[in-house]
Amino acid sequence: MEITEKEYEAALKRIDELLPLVTDDTPNDDPNLIELLKVSDIVEEYEDEHYPIPDIQQSAD
């Protein structure tokens, strides 16, 4: 799925709105938690595509 910058920005904003509503004690079937996980996936996919973190292998000395 191709995620646009506009969708990415909207997902970041929505995460900021959802974070105060979700705690470690939030049930797995809570709609806010479900939505948070989905928009987090959108952000992760966009960042993997546009801001990749290179694999750095350190040689053993």
Side-chain angles (χ1 to χ4, degrees), residues 2-22:
E2 182 68 27
I3 298 166
T4 66
E5 185 174 357
K6 184 176 181 179
E7 291 168 325
Y8 170 72
E9 294 293 334
L12 288 175
K13 181 179 178 188
R14 188 62 183 141
I15 286 172
D16 284 341
E17 296 168 351
L18 289 167
L19 280 175
L21 306 176
V22 176

Side-chain angles (χ1 to χ4, degrees), residues 36-51:
L36 178 60
L37 294 173
K38 288 180 180 181
V39 294
S40 295
D41 287 345
I42 290 169
V43 168
E44 181 180 14
E45 185 175 332
Y46 184 88
E47 289 179 351
D48 286 347
E49 175 70 24
H50 297 278
Y51 306 108

